[in-house]
Amino acid sequence: MADIARIANVSKPTVSRVLSGSPLVTQATRDHVLEVARAHGYAVNRNAQKLRQTRTDTISVVLDFGSHRGGRIADPFIFELLAGVAEALAVRKLDLLLSPPAAQDERAYQDQVNARVVDGFIFLGQGERDPMLRDLAKLGVPFVVWGAVDPTEPYCAVGSDNRLGGRLAGEYFLRSGRKDWLFIGDTNHAEIAMRHDGLSEATHGKSASIRVLRTGDMSYTSTLNDTAAYLATHPAPDAVFAFSDTAAMAVIAAFKEQGLRAPEDFALVGYNNIPPAAAFTPAITTVEQETHIAGAILVEKLMQKIEGGRAASTVLPTRLIVRET
């Protein structure tokens, strides 16, 4: 800064204000100082600059790799959600640090905040780490979660009404005259367990039964293999509720191998309403989560936490999109 100030014939504090984006300097002075800096090869060292500030202006987004085989995530839903978060952070001029969930200990996340690596965390998916998230909340670390919204949880979560989604699927099966249902998904995940609970609510007082197929993980391949193995040893159901649209596509493929097609032989409902679901053959009936607003809400809730405020959990609008299956 001293060199730039000398060359530009301004004071060092003026250079500091220009480089920090202060409104206390005129646009002409700002342009002059920045032109001198660029002409002489100077650039702001953002990491060094952050050490002088109270915040890092960096948010860590933590994906749920544990729910996918070999740490591979291929579900378009996750990337739609990630894109929404990235866009919302960009509007606030905040950096996104994409982090693998290597830390299973809540203290490791606290250390990242204390060491001023990041200002807070957005967890995309609870998976099976709810106990860790509960402990992290007790430490006062700023974070929000995309996942199941439960009033008993001590942390802020944003997600769809999973129970309602399950109930809507069940009511659709009943209207279609289906009585032998198969629920596909790992109920160790809070979101998926709520969807199963909602599906069960729809059977109350009705002559319908539910079987459960727990998949090895949330990948297309695992769902395809598990469904095919199930159909080889069990009678085919007349309705299937899959934990995601990607899983629903795997279900269609597995049933097709047995000569069964939707909707002639079975009704099918997926979850998430990813764009390929509408273009798939047959087009998949699904439960929609409004992911286009989820990213902005997650970022807004996290900033409330970072600024010392309270952030309440939010349930997004949830509705059934009826298509061919």
Side-chain angles (χ1 to χ4, degrees):
M1 286 194 296
D3 290 339
I4 296 173
R6 176 177 51 79
I7 299 169
N9 196 29
V10 296
S11 67
K12 185 176 176 180
T14 297
V15 175
S16 177
R17 294 188 185 101
V18 169
L19 298 182
S20 64
S22 171
L24 299 178
V25 294
T26 66
Q27 188 61 45
T29 300
R30 187 186 315 280
D31 292 344
H32 173 59
V33 171
L34 291 177
E35 183 180 354
V36 168
R38 294 191 188 100
H40 289 79
Y42 288 100
V44 175
N45 185 326
R46 295 195 63 193
N47 290 327
Q49 188 181 54
K50 289 175 181 180
L51 293 175
R52 298 168 59 92
Q53 300 170 343
T54 58
R55 292 184 187 170
T56 67
D57 288 338
T58 300
I59 302 300
S60 174
V61 176
V62 187
L63 302 183
D64 180 22
F65 284 104
S67 297
H68 300 263
R69 188 183 301 278
R72 297 188 295 271
I73 295 178
D75 196 323
F77 171 73
I78 296 296
F79 295 101
E80 283 190 61
L81 198 56
L82 179 60
V85 170
E87 184 177 7
L89 290 175
V91 169
R92 290 178 173 268
K93 297 183 179 180
L94 300 175
D95 291 334
L96 184 156
L97 176 65
L98 191 58
S99 303
Q104 300 301 321
D105 180 3
E106 63 278 3
R107 297 286 179 181
Y109 291 103
Q110 184 185 42
D111 289 344
Q112 291 187 57
V113 173
N114 290 344
R116 304 188 58 239
V117 177
V118 297
D119 294 325
F121 301 90
I122 297 177
F123 291 91
L124 297 186
Q126 286 152 314
E128 298 182 4
R129 55 191 172 193
D130 179 67
M132 186 279 292
L133 294 173
R134 286 175 171 266
D135 291 338
L136 188 60
K138 294 176 183 178
L139 296 176
V141 174
F143 75 94
V144 295
V145 178
W146 167 265
V149 177
D150 186 340
T152 66
E153 297 288 12
Y155 53 80
C156 174
V158 176
S160 69
D161 189 333
N162 290 280
R163 282 192 178 86
L164 173 60
R167 192 163 65 250
L168 291 173
E171 292 170 353
Y172 176 67
F173 293 156
L174 292 172
R175 291 195 303 272
S176 304
R178 316 289 176 153
K179 297 182 178 180
D180 182 15
W181 307 348
L182 177 64
F183 178 85
I184 297 181
D186 185 354
T187 52
N188 285 329
H189 294 225
E191 289 176 279
I192 296 175
M194 288 181 177
R195 294 170 195 174
H196 175 266
D197 292 344
L199 188 69
S200 298
E201 290 174 6
T203 66
H204 293 171
K206 307 294 182 180
S207 57
S209 60
I210 303 174
R211 293 182 260 162
V212 177
L213 170 60
R214 180 179 174 182
T215 55
D217 60 51
M218 300 178 76
S219 68
Y220 175 94
T221 301
S222 180
T223 304
L224 174 63
N225 294 338
D226 291 343
T227 303
Y230 182 88
L231 291 174
T233 56
H234 296 79
D238 61 12
V240 178
F241 182 27
F243 64 88
S244 74
D245 292 336
T246 300
M249 294 174 187
V251 168
I252 290 173
F255 272 69
K256 186 176 181 180
E257 291 178 358
Q258 298 293 323
L260 301 172
R261 299 178 181 276
E264 295 84 359
D265 300 306
F266 67 102
L268 174 66
V269 176
Y271 213 99
N272 295 333
N273 192 29
I274 61 175
F280 201 76
T281 302
I284 297 172
T285 296
T286 185
V287 178
E288 182 181 50
Q289 305 188 89
E290 295 195 353
T291 52
H292 62 282
I293 62 174
I297 294 175
L298 285 165
V299 172
E300 177 62 28
K301 297 289 184 181
L302 179 59
M303 296 312 297
Q304 291 176 15
K305 298 281 290 183
I306 290 173
E307 292 167 5
R310 297 174 61 88
S313 294
T314 298
V315 177
L316 299 179
T318 308
R319 64 190 182 109
L320 183 73
I321 307 294
V322 179
R323 297 193 179 105
E324 294 177 1
T325 65

